[in-house]
Amino acid sequence: MEKVKIDKFLGIDYATQPRLLPPGAALKCNNIDISTGAIRTRRGAQVVLAAKGNRVYGLYERQWGSTLYSYQVVDDLVFRSDTQTGSGWARNDTYFASVDQWTFLTDGTNQGKDDGTTASLWGIAIPIIAPAVALGAAGNLTGTYNYKKTRYDSATGTESNPSPVSADVVPSSQQVALSNLVEVPAAGTQYTHNNLYRKSDSLTDWYFLVQLDKTTATYNDNITDANLGSVLTTDNAPPPQAKYVTGPQNLKLFMANTVANPNYLFVSKENLPGTFPTNNALHIGDAGMPIFPVAWQGVIVCFSPSTIWKVYGAAIELMSVQSTPVNRGTVSPRTVAVSPYGIFYLSYDGVYLFTGENSEKISTQLNPLFAEEQGYPEPSFPTQAVNSLSTAWGIFKDDLYWLCMPTEPGGYPTKAFVYHHPSQQWFTRPLSAYLGYASPYDNRLYFASFNGDIWGHPIGYNDAGVAISYNYLTSPMPVEDQTNRRFRHLRVDLDTQGQIVTINTYINGAKASAILSASAGRNWVEINLDRTGYYANIEFTGTSVAEVRIYGLELFHDPLRWV
């Protein structure tokens, strides 16, 4: 009698012909975790936040002090925990970054910020009304004078660019009476003061005059030139209408991909995340080629659909853009996930890991998913439109890269392919979600389901009795290669943690036996088969609330013979 012995379970391998799979490799490996070499019941998920709408476009968490803040963008609404803080958003994927107590978010059309109490626009728009001027009482001023105003926020230190210039006013030992200083900005603009600046025929620059509360409508100027303050800066533009944001890095935020300049990287001022000078923009790659930036190990890594660039340097004038030899970019920015091992991402022909200098393909076992091959249990993506793969998303946590992809042309992600980096094995699980988020503050992943609910994972084990399966031998071989054997019995080395687990055995697709096991502690369960066939499949099914483990299998059979 011969036996097939498995003392270490491997992941799925679609690239190897089924009849050539070694013991332990799998054609199907669904709804389980084999990262340790043993089959373990997959950790489950439950709803942690009820739906606030239909479609979730963004998830994010940040902690400031001892308080954890969570954010959702649902339909056109923004929420901080259960409090709605914004409306009228563009129903686009939304990206986040945080600096100190501030959370910043952008969807390519709208940009906002939130300090955990107040939500407002990100950046301060330019005042559009010039100060009005008139001659005042006797005073210190003689000559020709002009004025501008800016908006200033004392909470963030952010100042807007200046208003249009006032009309000329020509005092002669007089004061200048300024009015029209209060201007209602766009809803949500956060600022606390108006700063006034002055220029005269004896000065070549604009100089700070006075800071006024934003509700102060008038001011009488009697300040001599010698008592003016600093020179006006004119590079205080608000953030661009860019799709993506990353950082902080070197005390700056980075944004990318505007309609006009999809291949520009926009850089904020140091310690002023609400200010993006017009000249603080780096040209990356070819004109019109969209880029997606991510901060990683002191470098800003920029992905395009075809390659990757790296941006070095702290000060904007010292930043340099370096190309890489990588010839695979990403088809979906949502799949880019930073890890201690590098940056995982999905390209058009597979999954890659960028390690700083080059990219390594890590999805060889999944090659048939990205080729015109038939007979495999998953879809073949090259037959789909590009925008199908563009809906995919990926996250990394605890040595696992989760890649959720659509399973039909034009569809949304419904299946996760999970990669365990230390063992370099893949396994799968059903997962219908628009996007996922890996929390840095607890051990959970969060999934935004198609009905708007937010699911937390892991919570317990094995969702609602979903079957776990592992095809550990072969799929049906071509008729000319079929071999028969007499399957005698199966021995399973397992620990069900006292829970009931059903072990189903199939020979040539027909159920040969089923046994219920409720072992307390690790032991062997033996199942008599006495069936003839040329392939076998073992399925473990249960609703366990504990972590069921299968450590190995021994399948005994008579010697092979040709049909």
Side-chain angles (χ1 to χ4, degrees), residues 136-148:
N140 298 321
L141 305 183
T142 297
T144 301
Y145 291 82
N146 300 97
Y147 296 84
K148 292 183 178 182

Side-chain angles (χ1 to χ4, degrees), residues 10-14 21-22 24-29 34 470-473:
L10 307 176
I12 52 178
D13 186 355
Y14 300 154
L21 287 173
L27 183 61
K28 291 183 179 180
C29 182
I34 59 167
Y470 189 92
N471 187 335
Y472 74 95
L473 281 179

Side-chain angles (χ1 to χ4, degrees), residues 143-159:
T144 301
Y145 291 82
N146 300 97
Y147 296 84
K148 292 183 178 182
K149 66 182 179 182
T150 66
R151 296 181 176 126
Y152 177 78
D153 182 28
S154 61
T156 62
T158 302
E159 185 175 19

Side-chain angles (χ1 to χ4, degrees), residues 381 383-389 391 406-413:
F381 289 118
T383 62
Q384 300 187 23
V386 172
N387 64 1
S388 293
L389 282 182
T391 66
T407 53
E408 61 182 28
Y412 289 102

Side-chain angles (χ1 to χ4, degrees), residues 79-120:
F79 292 87
R80 181 199 322 115
S81 299
D82 290 323
T83 301
Q84 181 183 324
T85 60
S87 62
W89 283 60
R91 300 176 187 262
N92 295 331
D93 282 351
T94 305
Y95 292 82
F96 300 80
S98 57
V99 178
D100 296 331
Q101 74 269 37
W102 298 99
T103 296
F104 301 91
L105 56 160
T106 180
D107 67 3
T109 300
N110 304 279
Q111 290 75 40
K113 71 177 188 291
D114 186 284
D115 66 356
T117 302
T118 303
S120 55

